[in-house]
Amino acid sequence: MSSPLNGLARYPIVQAPMAGGASCPPLAAAVCEAGALGFLAGGYKTADGMYQEVKRLRALTRRPFGVNLFMPQTGHADPAAIETYRGQLAGEGTWYDVSLAEEDTAGTSDDGYDAKLAILLEDPVPAVSFTFGCPAPQTLAALRRAGTYTIVTATSVDEARAAEAAGADAVCVQGVEAGGHQGTHRDDPQADATAGVGLLALVAQVREAVGLPIIAAGGLMRGSQIAALLAAGAEAAQLGTAFLPCPESGAHPLHKKALTDPLFPHTELTRAFSGRPARGLVNRFMREHGPYAPAAYPQVHHITAGLRKAAAAAGDPQGMALWAGQGHRLARALPAGQLVEVLAAEIAEAQSALNDMQKRSTS
């Protein structure tokens, strides 16, 4: 099971950095200890909050791990559209008894990127990945000099080429099946009506376009799927939803339960909760507000933050952001270390079966 992460992990398995609390130090530590690559999510945290999690993870494992950063958002949302959507959510505010005033977000459109980057350059971690864009070449070069393996998320061939040109060590190719936010480098509302590219097709396209190692991400729940993508040209696979129900995950219990609850049979991409396309389980909030949500990230994220917290506190999954990939019904509530071992065994079994088929076809 060789992978470009041979120096970082035993298995070609990466635990996705899920912002919002799911990818906490206990989960990443358990994944790392089992031989895969665990990740912390730097998004939505202060620079110090991120650093405190790094220190906590280091106390839990000596194995390599990664940290994910959100790239600064440079788009300009329409203030009128934001206010219209705030008005649309007025009933939600009354129902949950929370204010819809946007949180104090001065200077937060960059998610504290520079401060977080400075910490990771001063006190390097083994791997850093980037979402919502591609860092400048000098940033990637500085991280490389610090001994950090860099990964850029891409949702298209063009984005993968940009990552290669900038000097990334690897590209995380994200298919449309992926749960949570689509890591597009540019948020284009005109593309909302166009179906994204499936992971298997996208990996094949990127494999022919760039020479970087590929980490495949998007709806993966079984080792046999990982083996198929390794055969298609990926060198590792990143899984998020698969790790959500693990006891070490920081996801809300209602979120974990919803993954296999018949009340939530499918997922869709929506801007309802954050203003950026993200895949989640279809619930009341998404159905009622998704069609009207503007392209306004992170403003919408901050406006709905209080509503999401209140819904969780009230035990109401219909008002929560239940991020999940398309394979969510295959979720297994196993301890993270055991899940890694099961996935590794499934990969080995699938690869062995493929080898046997190839031998029979040539005999």
Side-chain angles (χ1 to χ4, degrees), residues 6 82 124 131 146 152 156 209 217 253 266 270 278 295 297 299 335 350:
N6 270 340
I82 294 172
T131 302
V152 173
S156 69
H266 68 284
T270 185
Y297 177 88
Q299 293 90 341

Side-chain angles (χ1 to χ4, degrees), residues 6-133:
N6 270 340
L8 299 174
R10 177 183 177 188
Y11 302 122
I13 300 170
V14 179
Q15 165 248 310
M18 298 170 282
S23 296
C24 55
L27 175 62
V31 169
C32 292
E33 287 294 305
L37 182 62
F39 255 86
L40 293 175
Y44 304 142
K45 296 182 178 71
T46 64
D48 182 65
M50 178 201 73
Y51 186 54
Q52 294 305 317
E53 287 209 341
V54 168
K55 291 200 297 184
R56 186 181 173 198
L57 179 53
R58 283 175 169 153
L60 295 173
T61 182
R62 293 180 177 272
R63 296 183 183 274
F65 62 90
V67 175
N68 175 260
L69 298 182
F70 286 170
M71 292 297 297
Q73 300 300 287
T74 57
H76 300 286
D78 180 1
I82 294 172
E83 289 309 307
T84 298
Y85 192 57
R86 196 195 309 271
Q88 164 101 18
L89 299 176
E92 300 282 351
T94 300
W95 177 258
Y96 291 114
D97 192 25
V98 296
S99 170
L100 291 181
E102 190 172 346
E103 296 178 358
D104 182 9
T105 59
T108 60
S109 63
D110 66 355
D111 199 52
Y113 175 77
D114 288 337
K116 292 173 183 176
L117 186 60
I119 289 173
L120 295 174
L121 286 170
E122 181 178 346
D123 190 1
V125 299
V128 172
S129 66
F130 298 88
T131 302
F132 299 152

Side-chain angles (χ1 to χ4, degrees), residues 10-357:
R10 177 183 177 188
Y11 302 122
I13 300 170
V14 179
Q15 165 248 310
M18 298 170 282
S23 296
C24 55
L27 175 62
V31 169
C32 292
E33 287 294 305
L37 182 62
F39 255 86
L40 293 175
Y44 304 142
K45 296 182 178 71
T46 64
D48 182 65
M50 178 201 73
Y51 186 54
Q52 294 305 317
E53 287 209 341
V54 168
K55 291 200 297 184
R56 186 181 173 198
L57 179 53
R58 283 175 169 153
L60 295 173
T61 182
R62 293 180 177 272
R63 296 183 183 274
F65 62 90
V67 175
N68 175 260
L69 298 182
F70 286 170
M71 292 297 297
Q73 300 300 287
T74 57
H76 300 286
D78 180 1
I82 294 172
E83 289 309 307
T84 298
Y85 192 57
R86 196 195 309 271
Q88 164 101 18
L89 299 176
E92 300 282 351
T94 300
W95 177 258
Y96 291 114
D97 192 25
V98 296
S99 170
L100 291 181
E102 190 172 346
E103 296 178 358
D104 182 9
T105 59
T108 60
S109 63
D110 66 355
D111 199 52
Y113 175 77
D114 288 337
K116 292 173 183 176
L117 186 60
I119 289 173
L120 295 174
L121 286 170
E122 181 178 346
D123 190 1
V125 299
V128 172
S129 66
F130 298 88
T131 302
F132 299 152
C134 183
Q138 55 266 35
T139 297
L140 294 171
L143 286 166
R144 184 178 297 106
R145 288 193 297 270
T148 297
Y149 191 85
T150 58
I151 305 163
V152 173
T153 303
T155 62
S156 69
V157 170
D158 286 345
E159 290 177 355
R161 285 177 172 145
E164 183 175 49
D169 292 314
V171 60
C172 180
V173 174
Q174 184 193 46
V176 73
E177 306 94 332
H181 285 94
Q182 293 286 294
T184 52
H185 293 190
R186 186 172 69 90
D187 185 12
D188 181 7
Q190 295 183 352
D192 285 2
T194 304
V197 181
L199 180 58
L200 190 59
L202 187 57
V203 165
Q205 293 171 21
V206 172
R207 178 71 291 151
E208 293 195 3
V210 305
L212 293 178
I214 292 173
I215 301 171
L220 304 176
M221 304 295 288
R222 295 287 188 266
S224 57
Q225 295 172 297
I226 298 173
L229 285 158
L230 296 179
E235 297 189 47
Q238 179 171 283
L239 291 77
T241 305
F243 286 102
L244 272 180
C246 295
E248 299 92 341
S249 160
H252 194 284
L254 290 174
H255 192 169
K256 295 182 180 185
K257 180 182 178 182
L259 294 173
T260 53
D261 190 330
L263 288 175
F264 305 101
H266 68 284
T267 65
E268 288 182 6
L269 288 170
T270 185
R271 293 180 181 269
F273 297 101
S274 72
R276 227 182 191 276
R279 183 173 297 282
L281 300 175
V282 177
N283 60 4
R284 178 194 58 78
F285 194 101
M286 188 188 296
R287 286 192 298 269
E288 293 182 0
H289 304 296
Y292 311 102
Y297 177 88
Q299 293 90 341
V300 171
H301 165 80
H302 293 298
I303 289 171
T304 66
L307 294 174
R308 290 180 276 118
K309 292 174 185 176
D316 181 11
Q318 297 294 340
M320 298 169 60
L322 303 173
W323 303 136
Q326 287 184 343
H328 65 96
R329 298 304 293 272
L330 297 174
R332 298 177 282 200
L334 300 173
Q338 183 180 347
L339 178 58
V340 169
E341 293 171 358
V342 169
L343 289 168
E346 291 173 345
I347 295 171
E349 181 180 1
Q351 291 178 328
S352 177
L354 178 60
N355 289 336
D356 289 343
M357 288 178 59

